[in-house]
Amino acid sequence: MGGTVSGVSVEVHFASIQLSIYPKKFSKRHGQVIVVIRRIGGSKQEVGGLTLPSPGLLSPELDLKSPCFALPCQSALSHMDVQGYKRVRWRVWLCYLGAVLSLGLLLVLFKWRPRWGVLARCQPCPLHMADIVLLRDDFGEQCVLEVLTEEIEEEGLDSVAGEGNEYEWRDTVQLHKEEKLLLRYYVFQGIRYVWMARKGAFCKVSALNDHWTCAELHRMQQGLSAMEQSSRRKVYGQNLIDVPVKSYLQLLFEEVLNPFYMFQICSIILWMSDRYYYYAACVFIISLISIAISLYEIRKQSNTLRKMAQLIVPVTVRRNTGEEESVSSLELVPGDCILIPSEGLLLPCDAALLVGECMVNESMLTGESIPVIKTPLPGGGERYSADAQRRHTLFCGTQAIQAKGNYPGGRGALAVVVRTGFFTAKGDLISSILYPQPINFRFYKDAIKFLLFLGLLALGGTIYSIVMLNRSNTPVMQLLIRSLDIVTIIVPPALPAAITTGTIYAQRRLKKQGIFCISPPRINVSGKVSLFCFDKTGTLTEEGLDVWGVMEATGGSHFEELVPDPHLLPPGFMLSSLACCHSVALLGGQLLGDPLELKMIESTGWELEEPEGEDERGHAEFGGRRVLAVMRPPPQELLPQDVSMSQAVAIIQRFPFSSALQRMSVVTVGPGGQGATAFLKGAPEMVASHCLKESVPAQFSTTLRNFASEGFRVLALAYKPLDERTDLNSISRDEVEREMRFLGLLVMKNLVKPESPEVISTLRQARLRTVMATGDNILTAVNVARGCGMVASNERVIFVHASPPTGHSPAVLKFHLGEGGTQAAVSPDEIDVISQGLYQSGVTYHLAVNGKSFSALCDFFPEYLSKVLMRATVYARMAPDQKTQLVTELQKLNYRVGMCGDGANDCGALRAADVGVSLSEAEASVASPFTSKTDNISCVPLLIREGRCSLVTCFSLFKYMALYSLIQFASVLILYTIKTNLGDLQFLLFDLVLVTLLAIVMGKGGPSKELHPQRPPASLLALPVIMSLLLHTLLLVVSQIGALLITYSQSWFVPLNSTVTGAANLPNMENTSVFAVSGFQYIFMAIIVTKGHPYKKPLYTNVLFLVLLLVFSATMFWLVLFPVGIIQDILQLYEITDMNYKLLLIALAALNFFTCYLLEVLIDNGMVECCRTLRGHRESKKQYKRLDALLAESPSWPPLDQPLSSPQCTVIGFS
């Protein structure tokens, strides 16, 4: 069933009902949405993100009060799979009985498998009746949560959800009404989810205030009553980011129940039963120490994070009676009106600024050390969003340094609370640390699969040992112990810990280089990065800009001559705009603000003053108006002789720069409050679009293109006289910024950092694709891309223009050739490097896209999007959310994406990337996994080299631990076959001394100085790894059997006592021969698997590892050739006096070493490629490689200067 009306389409399937509404990201004026409704069986109802069409698109027949058309926010609805259960008393008692009878093992099983515990104790029920919910998040993790209830007083309920949402709230709280009103909710990862009957789901409690508009927030200035605040607090909970700190006893219980430690406990019990007392005691002591260190570190980290997260300060709130009351920040709720004192405040919540201005240090959130100016929220009917209105939002955890612009009856600023607790920006970041997103990395997945393979191998060994021991009439208990012992040998419990040592060493080395990491697993991921995105300003280019000159518009068809020094400008609107149109503030006599604006003010020579104390109530010099700042011209004696002095100008209203809007504006007045003028500054195209057409010179586009193509940063300025009768303090931004008059261009030189070309060249030589994503002009971005080497001088740039459909034309996509690079003389080597890069062999063009075209591509040309992404190098005029979307789209092509930015506007992209690097002075920033103290991109190749080194080290450690297990597995099975085994202290020597120490220091070697074009493998189940392990194991087993056969062939050989089994018949000749050869195998396999070139320094640079190898080798030579009697007795070795036999064993071990080393060299240098050649060519699994091959075979793509229309999309929907 379907229909279409008003351009909105809906498809409805009645097989079952589940509501999922997916926005198509069409332009807002079209108001189009795609809606799909379906159900997934039973009583379970899942509600996806809901985006309502624009007003007027709904037909009169639609019931807005139905659950399908409730008013949720996409962020407020849960996308998790939630199932309701109700406890059954007899099942609960049955589980208690089972736990007692199983000695608690049933409870351990339920802890490992929460779903089984729920199914055993409960029965399914509708969500609104559930007292237990089973939740599965987007990553497949399951969690069992208790549904809690809160009794709510009916008095004061009407105001809990705010104006206009009373019916929604009453539906929510009256669902479970019997004799009293109950709120039903559960808490997951610090966030409260409340039951909303009209939506038929548990939703984030923030859904109750997500509909607030800017105008509604302004109406909340009168404050809440004490009863209203109390009612809201019961619904929203305390304003607290609570990081749970568990007791040592609780941590111990959870740690011991970890499968790793459960396996250790079972192994220790088994070894004690088999009389391996020394070995069991040592493992037990080491496990205790490990647990103690782990508990201490967990507790310490939890306490540190709790201190950082918890913020409890006294706050002054305004009540609806007009009184001001000091309360704890714990009591704050959305809707509270708080006062920001003039001396500042450490903000305990997210709040929308309503009155006054605040200077805020947001370095805790963004890593950006420069304070930002927050201005009052405009009072329109637009829906409030903290992300969209960042410049008007005070974020939790940031420091308001000072507040000004008094509210009636006091000083400072007024703000209304919009988010509390984990819903705040700080809460979201703390949540990302507490509950990190699982890393989708093949290495970690393959490690689990390989452990399962070893488990299957252990099963085979267990069956073999049972058969062999049964033949020798071994008692049943002894047979069971020996068989299970095989499992503890083949599956090394220390494997997970061992493979992390390489990452730990890499993290320490990075810290010494000024790169801090808050997510160590990301270090390995950085070793597989195939594409790196860079911001431009402050990342590739210098943060500061030098003013190149000012070009005034004449009001006609052309510009005046470029004035290199703004000092030389005559008094007028152009000079006033340069001096006044900024967000620079004064703190302690020092100017603070954007470096560009600081340079602009410096170029004029004007000085900034800020009113203090009572002057804020009205500056007499400027007609008693409330003044934010005063700009005064330099004294006449400092001006050129032919330039007269200007008058002082007061800034009384400020609309700060927004990356989304690409502009800022101010309202100013002259002395006496006369001459009210609005000034606008921003991206030239944006400013021109807000100006009267007749005021924009006809040469505007040509002039802008010339400057941008030469790499200049260009800003445009405009002005507009204002009616003095207008209320200038409450004038809206839209009113200020329309019908402006174009003033001219400010031209600034943005130099490429000297490190940038070298780093980009290094990355391209290593076949790593480099991409620029910037908010600057596209021609400027292309020029910088050429300057830093992303686009070579002999390569062409093709511009991509995509436009959305209008009422008269469809969406159109067009490619046109820009001005190509000069055909400069380039060496053959350089040409070879360029042609090899980017997986674009032979491709000599790059695409350049701006933000508007990128959005149109995503919305209307999805079939071309992947091709454009494959060839685009420059993305200009990109808003912060578009940078995030770019990273996500590149990841869909199977790229491992790195992102390097300044940590402020790039926050979303840094967190979305596989590897995010923030250039910040902060020691650690939660804006991205990595923070570099260096102010240039030289940290990027260093991070990639460390990542590759760490990944290769993890591979080596994994192979070594696996081979160690297989060596010992073979030794034990061979000795089981002849009714003996290794001794207690022999196990101890191999496991805890030799192997453990070698594994610990193996990863200490640093990264190679060169960045190799080939990335290291990430799959443990790849053909080279599997072949290496299998063939090595075969050679190792043959050597051990060979040692045994050599021993049998000796004339003096005496068979062991066959009436005794296991370690009880030690010492014997068979055991001693296997011990000697296997001891050397543990040592030389550490050498073979520790590969250096091309990702690590050579083995000999790891001095500690080399020393251990020499010491252990000397020890084994000593034990085999010249053993001391007491050592032989301790290790239970048989005394053999035949020196020729001993030398033969050493020769066998040496031969084994040589063959294994030769095998590894062959595998690394061609054997695998030969196998692949025989197997035939297979298409790559990575989508970007397949696309690259496809584009390489399509020389006619992209079609130049040919308009491409978007194919007709079938849109199914309601209307």
Side-chain angles (χ1 to χ4, degrees):
M1 174 179 173
T4 52
V5 175
S6 306
V8 183
S9 344
V10 171
E11 184 175 47
V12 185
H13 302 278
F14 287 121
S16 43
I17 293 184
Q18 175 195 356
L19 174 64
S20 298
I21 303 185
Y22 305 98
K24 184 61 178 169
K25 294 184 181 174
F26 292 149
S27 63
K28 292 181 181 177
R29 63 176 177 272
H30 298 318
Q32 294 173 307
V33 229
I34 290 182
V35 182
V36 179
I37 301 180
R38 59 182 184 269
R39 170 170 281 186
I40 304 179
S43 61
K44 180 176 72 172
Q45 189 174 16
E46 297 183 16
V47 185
L50 176 63
T51 301
L52 292 178
S54 345
L57 289 177
L58 296 174
S59 62
E61 294 79 18
L62 291 178
D63 180 11
L64 292 178
K65 295 182 181 180
S66 70
C68 294
F69 288 92
L71 184 65
C73 168
Q74 186 165 351
S75 63
L77 281 167
S78 170
H79 289 269
M80 299 172 292
D81 177 13
V82 183
Q83 299 174 356
Y85 291 88
K86 202 167 187 64
R87 288 189 185 89
V88 179
R89 186 169 297 178
W90 66 267
R91 289 189 179 186
V92 173
W93 283 107
L94 199 60
C95 287
Y96 285 150
L97 180 62
V100 172
L101 294 177
S102 64
L103 301 177
L105 291 178
L106 185 63
L107 296 180
V108 174
L109 182 64
F110 287 166
K111 179 172 176 59
W112 291 349
R113 290 288 181 268
R115 185 169 180 270
W116 295 358
V118 172
L119 294 176
R121 299 186 185 103
C122 311
Q123 65 181 11
C125 70
L127 271 178
H128 68 274
M129 298 174 61
D131 48 28
I132 293 286
V133 292
L134 179 63
L135 183 146
R136 183 193 297 270
D137 63 18
D138 294 333
F139 311 111
E141 301 290 330
Q142 288 187 336
C143 185
V144 178
L145 300 169
E146 187 90 16
V147 176
L148 308 172
T149 59
E150 179 86 31
E151 185 177 347
I152 308 290
E153 296 89 356
E154 192 156 5
E155 296 84 1
L157 263 184
D158 293 343
S159 66
V160 169
E163 187 176 342
N165 206 21
E166 176 183 345
Y167 185 80
E168 173 93 24
W169 171 244
R170 285 188 172 274
D171 245 358
T172 301
V173 297
Q174 291 186 14
L175 166 75
H176 200 70
K177 183 173 180 180
E178 295 171 356
E179 297 180 357
K180 50 190 175 184
L181 297 173
L182 290 180
L183 172 72
R184 300 175 62 81
Y185 68 94
Y186 64 83
V187 179
F188 177 63
Q189 295 183 351
I191 293 178
R192 181 178 289 207
Y193 293 79
V194 297
W195 173 255
M196 293 189 176
R198 291 175 59 193
K199 298 176 179 62
F202 282 97
C203 302
K204 292 180 181 178
V205 70
S206 59
L208 298 173
N209 57 281
D210 274 344
H211 67 286
W212 284 347
T213 64
C214 298
E216 286 175 336
L217 288 174
H218 273 277
R219 288 197 291 271
M220 295 179 188
Q221 287 187 40
Q222 71 273 14
L224 302 175
S225 68
M227 181 176 291
E228 289 171 339
Q229 190 194 51
S230 175
S231 297
R232 292 195 185 197
R233 193 160 59 249
K234 288 187 177 181
V235 176
Y236 288 97
Q238 282 189 322
N239 175 33
L240 182 67
I241 304 173
D242 189 22
V243 176
V245 178
K246 298 174 182 176
S247 66
Y248 279 113
L249 187 62
Q250 190 176 0
L251 286 173
L252 177 64
F253 181 73
E254 291 183 357
E255 194 77 6
V256 170
L257 291 185
N258 183 293
F260 165 72
Y261 284 113
M262 291 295 290
F263 182 70
Q264 286 280 51
I265 291 169
C266 294
S267 300
I268 290 170
I269 293 171
L270 186 67
W271 297 328
M272 293 289 285
S273 304
D274 204 19
R275 298 181 181 179
Y276 286 103
Y277 300 121
Y278 292 115
Y279 186 76
C282 287
V283 171
F284 178 72
I285 292 169
I286 291 173
S287 298
L288 277 183
I289 294 171
S290 174
I291 290 174
I293 293 172
S294 177
L295 297 188
Y296 173 76
E297 287 296 328
I298 292 172
R299 176 94 174 182
K300 180 183 175 183
Q301 290 173 8
S302 297
N303 279 319
T304 303
L305 192 58
R306 186 174 201 170
K307 288 176 183 176
M308 185 181 84
Q310 279 194 1
L311 178 58
I312 304 174
V313 295
V315 182
T316 303
V317 299
R318 175 185 280 183
R319 294 294 180 213
N320 61 348
T321 58
E323 297 177 353
E324 295 178 3
E325 179 183 348
S326 179
V327 300
S328 168
S329 58
L330 289 172
E331 300 178 20
L332 292 179
V333 294
D336 263 328
C337 184
I338 63 173
L339 279 59
I340 312 297
S342 57
E343 64 272 15
L345 175 71
L346 186 57
L347 293 157
C349 60
D350 286 0
L353 186 61
L354 302 182
V355 178
E357 281 192 351
C358 287
M359 183 190 296
V360 184
N361 182 350
E362 294 187 335
S363 60
M364 195 285 297
L365 292 181
T366 66
E368 180 61 56
S369 58
I370 299 173
V372 294
I373 300 293
K374 303 287 185 173
T375 56
L377 182 74
E382 179 186 0
R383 179 171 159 181
Y384 172 79
S385 165
D387 291 329
Q389 276 98 11
R390 289 187 64 87
R391 285 289 188 173
H392 315 296
T393 303
L394 306 172
F395 292 105
C396 177
T398 61
Q399 176 72 54
I401 301 171
Q402 68 178 18
K404 57 185 178 180
N406 42 307
Y407 58 91
R411 293 180 54 211
L414 274 182
V416 64
V417 178
V418 291
R419 297 187 301 199
T420 57
F422 274 96
F423 291 101
T424 63
K426 181 179 179 180
D428 181 49
L429 294 174
I430 295 296
S431 181
S432 70
I433 297 174
L434 278 175
Y435 315 105
Q437 178 179 335
I439 296 176
N440 182 23
F441 194 44
R442 191 171 181 179
F443 176 79
Y444 301 120
K445 292 181 179 178
D446 286 355
I448 301 299
K449 293 177 183 176
F450 195 84
L451 284 176
L452 293 175
F453 165 73
L454 290 179
L456 291 175
L457 202 59
L459 180 62
T462 301
I463 294 171
Y464 174 83
S465 62
I466 290 173
V467 172
M468 297 306 299
L469 292 171
N470 191 46
R471 285 183 178 179
S472 59
N473 300 318
T474 305
V476 176
M477 182 57 68
Q478 195 72 11
L479 186 147
L480 182 63
I481 291 172
R482 294 287 163 75
S483 302
L484 292 176
D485 192 36
I486 292 292
V487 179
T488 67
I489 292 170
I490 192 64
V491 183
L495 179 60
I499 61 176
T500 61
T501 57
T503 306
I504 293 170
Y505 285 127
Q507 187 177 7
R508 289 178 180 173
R509 288 192 297 267
L510 286 171
K511 189 173 182 179
K512 289 180 181 178
Q513 298 285 341
I515 302 174
F516 300 92
C517 175
I518 63 169
S519 178
R522 297 273 179 184
I523 296 175
N524 281 347
V525 179
S526 67
K528 289 295 290 181
V529 166
S530 49
L531 181 148
F532 229 101
C533 292
F534 295 93
D535 180 35
K536 183 181 77 67
T537 306
T539 304
L540 292 170
T541 62
E542 298 288 353
E543 183 69 47
L545 301 170
D546 292 321
V547 174
W548 191 259
V550 177
M551 185 171 277
E552 268 192 281
T554 61
S557 61
H558 64 279
F559 288 94
E560 297 280 2
E561 290 287 332
L562 181 75
V563 179
D565 188 356
H567 274 97
L568 303 176
L569 288 171
F573 290 119
M574 187 68 188
L575 183 59
S576 297
S577 67
L578 292 172
C580 300
C581 198
H582 58 78
S583 298
V584 173
L586 200 62
L587 184 65
Q590 184 178 359
L591 294 178
L592 294 175
D594 187 277
L596 181 149
E597 293 183 334
L598 292 174
K599 282 284 185 183
M600 184 178 74
I601 295 174
E602 181 187 339
S603 71
T604 65
W606 287 44
E607 294 183 357
L608 172 67
E609 288 182 5
E610 289 188 346
E612 297 180 3
E614 296 299 318
D615 285 346
E616 285 186 329
R617 296 179 177 273
H619 205 295
E621 184 183 351
F622 298 97
R625 294 184 182 274
R626 182 180 61 83
V627 173
L628 297 177
V630 177
M631 297 303 301
R632 296 193 183 277
Q636 182 67 54
E637 57 268 19
L638 297 179
L639 294 173
Q641 293 182 357
D642 55 343
V643 176
S644 58
M645 193 173 79
S646 304
Q647 291 183 324
V649 178
I651 302 171
I652 61 172
Q653 183 71 286
R654 191 184 274 135
F655 301 100
F657 178 80
S658 162
S659 298
L661 299 177
Q662 298 180 343
R663 63 184 186 272
M664 73 155 296
S665 57
V666 295
V667 176
T668 67
V669 294
Q674 303 300 310
T677 309
F679 292 107
L680 178 69
K681 178 183 93 234
E685 305 93 335
M686 183 59 68
V687 170
S689 69
H690 284 74
C691 291
L692 299 171
K693 287 186 178 179
E694 59 269 20
S695 70
V696 181
Q699 297 176 342
F700 170 77
S701 298
T702 305
T703 305
L704 177 62
R705 189 182 303 112
N706 291 338
F707 280 125
S709 62
E710 293 176 17
F712 289 103
R713 175 81 180 271
V714 184
L715 296 176
L717 298 119
Y719 81 104
K720 178 175 72 173
L722 296 174
D723 188 343
E724 294 175 6
R725 292 170 295 180
T726 307
D727 183 358
L728 300 180
N729 290 325
S730 61
I731 190 170
S732 69
R733 184 167 192 157
D734 290 339
E735 189 176 349
V736 167
E737 295 179 351
R738 65 168 179 254
E739 298 180 351
M740 306 288 287
R741 295 181 179 277
F742 192 82
L743 272 173
L745 302 175
L746 171 65
V747 185
M748 308 189 84
K749 187 68 175 176
N750 194 193
L751 300 175
V752 174
K753 290 181 180 178
E755 299 85 1
S756 297
E758 183 182 351
V759 171
I760 298 298
S761 174
T762 300
L763 295 178
R764 293 194 69 180
Q765 289 180 41
R767 298 185 184 178
L768 287 167
R769 219 184 127 188
T770 54
V771 166
M772 181 196 299
T774 176
D776 209 342
N777 179 280
I778 192 167
L779 292 173
T780 304
V782 168
N783 183 274
V784 172
R786 289 194 184 279
C788 67
M790 283 188 185
V791 178
S793 58
N794 65 317
E795 293 176 322
R796 293 276 185 173
V797 175
I798 298 174
F799 293 95
V800 181
H801 289 284
S803 57
T806 63
H808 307 288
S809 62
V812 175
L813 174 64
K814 192 174 182 180
F815 301 88
H816 75 85
L817 191 63
E819 295 180 5
T822 58
Q823 301 299 322
V826 182
S827 69
D829 291 340
E830 290 174 328
I831 293 174
D832 185 57
V833 165
I834 292 164
S835 64
Q836 286 177 2
L838 310 174
Y839 293 100
Q840 298 175 359
S841 298
V843 176
T844 57
Y845 71 87
H846 299 264
L847 300 182
V849 192
N850 63 24
K852 290 182 180 178
S853 296
F854 179 73
S855 293
L857 271 168
C858 294
D859 293 342
F860 304 104
F861 298 93
E863 67 279 12
Y864 293 111
L865 178 61
S866 58
K867 293 181 179 180
V868 171
L869 291 173
M870 281 297 301
R871 294 292 184 253
T873 300
V874 176
Y875 297 85
R877 293 290 186 225
M878 296 286 280
D881 60 326
Q882 288 179 316
K883 292 183 182 181
T884 306
Q885 187 180 2
L886 170 64
V887 169
T888 305
E889 294 294 340
L890 288 168
Q891 287 170 329
K892 290 178 183 177
L893 298 180
N894 304 127
Y895 277 113
R896 285 282 174 193
V897 181
M899 175 72 196
C900 184
D902 57 13
N905 292 332
D906 306 316
C907 262
L910 288 168
R911 295 178 67 187
D914 296 291
V915 177
V917 186
S918 172
L919 304 183
S920 168
E921 293 181 1
E923 186 163 300
S925 168
V926 285
S928 63
F930 298 93
T931 304
S932 174
K933 279 195 169 184
T934 57
D935 62 351
N936 57 69
I937 62 172
S938 60
C939 59
V940 171
L942 173 62
L943 175 61
I944 295 173
R945 286 191 287 111
E946 284 289 2
R948 291 182 175 185
C949 175
S950 173
L951 185 58
V952 169
T953 300
C954 289
F955 259 79
S956 298
L957 283 164
F958 193 95
K959 286 177 67 176
Y960 181 63
M961 296 301 288
L963 286 168
Y964 140 68
S965 299
L966 292 168
I967 291 169
Q968 201 165 87
F969 177 66
S971 301
V972 170
L973 286 187
I974 289 169
L975 294 176
Y976 271 10
T977 306
I978 55 177
K979 300 182 183 181
T980 187
N981 199 359
L982 292 172
D984 190 358
L985 293 178
Q986 290 175 358
F987 275 120
L988 196 65
L989 174 66
F990 288 154
D991 291 359
L992 299 184
V993 178
L994 200 150
V995 172
T996 301
L997 290 178
L998 285 176
I1000 288 173
V1001 300
M1002 186 185 290
K1004 207 168 171 58
S1008 170
K1009 292 183 179 180
E1010 302 296 327
L1011 200 57
H1012 197 264
Q1014 186 69 32
R1015 291 189 301 279
S1019 174
L1020 288 169
L1021 302 181
L1023 185 60
V1025 181
I1026 297 299
M1027 282 182 63
S1028 174
L1029 285 175
L1030 292 178
L1031 294 176
H1032 280 314
T1033 304
L1034 180 62
L1035 290 175
L1036 294 167
V1037 171
V1038 167
S1039 295
Q1040 291 188 28
I1041 294 174
L1044 204 60
L1045 294 177
I1046 290 173
T1047 306
Y1048 286 157
S1049 66
Q1050 300 303 309
S1051 57
W1052 41 258
F1053 171 71
V1054 178
L1056 54 76
N1057 182 5
S1058 60
T1059 61
V1060 183
T1061 61
N1065 59 18
L1066 293 178
N1068 57 66
M1069 296 181 182
E1070 294 89 334
N1071 165 274
T1072 302
S1073 62
V1074 171
F1075 171 85
V1077 173
S1078 63
F1080 282 111
Q1081 288 176 339
Y1082 293 125
I1083 297 169
F1084 68 65
M1085 287 314 300
I1087 299 172
I1088 290 170
V1089 300
T1090 306
K1091 297 178 183 177
H1093 182 77
Y1095 309 111
K1096 292 179 64 177
K1097 290 179 180 177
L1099 184 146
Y1100 60 79
T1101 61
N1102 188 350
V1103 178
L1104 188 56
F1105 182 55
L1106 194 62
V1107 168
L1108 279 180
L1109 286 174
L1110 293 174
V1111 170
F1112 289 151
S1113 298
T1115 302
M1116 284 306 302
F1117 275 110
W1118 175 57
L1119 289 174
V1120 174
L1121 296 176
F1122 312 106
V1124 179
I1126 188 171
I1127 300 297
Q1128 283 186 323
D1129 294 340
I1130 291 172
L1131 292 176
Q1132 296 178 287
L1133 296 175
Y1134 194 90
E1135 184 178 358
I1136 300 174
T1137 57
D1138 188 346
M1139 183 59 69
N1140 290 331
Y1141 166 75
K1142 295 177 182 180
L1143 291 173
L1144 193 59
L1145 287 182
I1146 291 176
L1148 178 64
L1151 179 64
N1152 192 191
F1153 170 56
F1154 175 75
T1155 53
C1156 286
Y1157 184 81
L1158 184 63
L1159 173 66
E1160 193 72 13
V1161 171
L1162 288 173
I1163 290 174
D1164 287 343
N1165 295 281
M1167 183 184 285
V1168 176
E1169 289 302 323
C1170 291
C1171 294
R1172 284 175 178 165
T1173 303
L1174 294 172
R1175 185 185 63 184
H1177 175 71
R1178 287 189 183 180
E1179 193 176 46
S1180 174
K1181 294 181 181 179
K1182 296 187 184 298
Q1183 190 176 347
Y1184 73 86
K1185 289 188 177 181
R1186 297 200 303 270
L1187 272 171
D1188 182 69
L1190 178 66
L1191 290 174
E1193 296 171 0
S1194 307
S1196 60
W1197 196 91
L1200 297 178
D1201 300 317
Q1202 297 179 25
L1204 303 174
S1205 298
S1206 174
Q1208 286 293 328
C1209 298
T1210 306
V1211 185
I1212 307 172
F1214 283 129
S1215 55

